[in-house]
Amino acid sequence: AQKVTQAQTEISVVEKEDVTLDCVYETRDTTYYLFWYKQPPSGELVFLIRRNSFDEQNEISGRYSWNFQKSTSSFNFTITASQVVDSAVYFCALSERGTYKYIFGTGTRLKVLA
Amino acid sequence: DTAVSQTPKYLVTQMGNDKSIKCEQNLGHDTMYWYKQDSKKFLKIMFSYNNKELIINETVPNRFSPKSPDKAHLNLHINSLELGDSAVYFCASSLGTSGSGDEQYFGPGTRLTVT
């Protein structure tokens, strides 16, 4: 069975602090895909990153970086030098190959205080 | 041009009524989805359609009936609305290459309030 756990319900940081959002997943498949989405207060869901199970390279995009570790079934997301505009709910998601099904975690609400 | 659009953005109605939400994507994607997001922000997939064919129906009450007239459209009709149907409904689309976990692009959401 597929499962995604985001244990951090809410995190508050002060601007310019670094913050890491945790994501732990469960799957029996060897081929799967992991995602992060951002939902700002305006409500839309914005795609951030997709990673397949065979690519464990970490990725950096500006202030965002992702750490994928199959050994611990984790796909963590770090924001460096956070900004108020980073305030949002962040969702981690999992999809197994061939299923057309996406399982979302319960989300982590990030509040960045000025 | 909006990639995935939904109408209406807000929908307020009374229990027992029937309502529809429309979704259109102009990305040329093969797969479309409906999600329900409850008041606690929990996001759950309801339906997946690939090339107009229903692929996934996640134990959704049969009061909910999706219809895909073509690959670019996926509408959601809800009969006999109940209080528990109040939520934000998101439409999404993805390339849908053989269920290979393509990233999804979401519409702006429809906030449904049942009174």
Side-chain angles (χ1 to χ4, degrees), chain B residues 37-61:
Chain B
Q37 186 173 45
D38 63 24
S39 58
K40 295 183 179 179
K41 295 286 191 179
F42 185 55
L43 199 60
K44 187 167 174 15
I45 194 166
M46 300 172 68
F47 303 103
S48 295
Y49 268 74
N50 178 256
N51 283 317
K52 303 191 299 177
E53 298 296 323
L54 179 66
I55 303 294
I56 288 177
N57 179 341
E58 278 293 292
T59 59
V60 178

Side-chain angles (χ1 to χ4, degrees), chain B residues 18-19 46-47 54 57-67 76-82 85:
Chain B
D18 303 339
K19 290 293 178 185
M46 300 172 68
F47 303 103
L54 179 66
N57 179 341
E58 278 293 292
T59 59
V60 178
N62 56 16
R63 298 183 296 103
F64 290 79
S65 51
K67 283 194 171 46
L76 184 65
H77 187 76
I78 315 170
N79 289 328
S80 303
L81 278 156
E82 301 176 357
D85 297 333

Side-chain angles (χ1 to χ4, degrees), chain A residues 15-53:
Chain A
E15 221 175 3
K16 298 184 183 174
E17 285 185 3
D18 299 346
V19 58
T20 295
L21 310 182
D22 298 333
C23 174
V24 174
Y25 62 92
E26 293 178 29
T27 176
R28 293 180 184 165
D29 208 337
T30 55
T31 304
Y32 53 90
Y33 308 89
L34 296 164
F35 308 84
W36 277 94
Y37 288 86
K38 174 182 181 180
Q39 187 173 39
S42 50
E44 73 272 23
L45 281 151
V46 179
F47 165 74
L48 295 178
I49 189 170
R50 170 187 185 265
R51 177 65 77 199
N52 74 55
S53 52

Side-chain angles (χ1 to χ4, degrees), chain A residues 6 9 23 28 33 46 49-50 52 56 59 61 64 75 77-78 99 101 114:
Chain A
Q6 294 180 256
T9 307
C23 174
R28 293 180 184 165
Y33 308 89
V46 179
I49 189 170
R50 170 187 185 265
N52 74 55
E56 282 193 77
E59 178 146 344
S61 176
Y64 294 172
F75 186 42
F77 173 28
T78 297
T99 64
K101 184 175 175 179

Side-chain angles (χ1 to χ4, degrees), chain B:
Chain B
D1 262 356
T2 305
V4 182
S5 59
Q6 292 178 232
T7 53
K9 190 165 174 59
Y10 300 97
L11 193 50
V12 181
T13 187
Q14 291 185 331
M15 282 175 54
N17 285 348
D18 303 339
K19 290 293 178 185
S20 292
I21 307 171
K22 295 186 176 181
C23 177
E24 176 181 2
Q25 55 96 2
N26 63 6
L27 297 167
H29 288 167
D30 285 345
T31 307
M32 296 184 73
Y33 313 79
W34 277 109
Y35 283 84
K36 179 180 181 180
Q37 186 173 45
D38 63 24
S39 58
K40 295 183 179 179
K41 295 286 191 179
F42 185 55
L43 199 60
K44 187 167 174 15
I45 194 166
M46 300 172 68
F47 303 103
S48 295
Y49 268 74
N50 178 256
N51 283 317
K52 303 191 299 177
E53 298 296 323
L54 179 66
I55 303 294
I56 288 177
N57 179 341
E58 278 293 292
T59 59
V60 178
N62 56 16
R63 298 183 296 103
F64 290 79
S65 51
K67 283 194 171 46
S68 183
D70 55 57
K71 285 197 318 183
H73 296 85
L74 180 61
N75 304 322
L76 184 65
H77 187 76
I78 315 170
N79 289 328
S80 303
L81 278 156
E82 301 176 357
L83 291 176
D85 297 333
S86 295
V88 179
Y89 291 84
F90 285 97
C91 176
S93 73
S94 69
L95 267 176
T97 12
S98 304
S100 56
D102 300 306
E103 59 266 31
Q104 297 175 304
Y105 293 89
F106 285 81
T110 295
R111 182 175 293 278
L112 171 64
T113 303
V114 182
T115 60

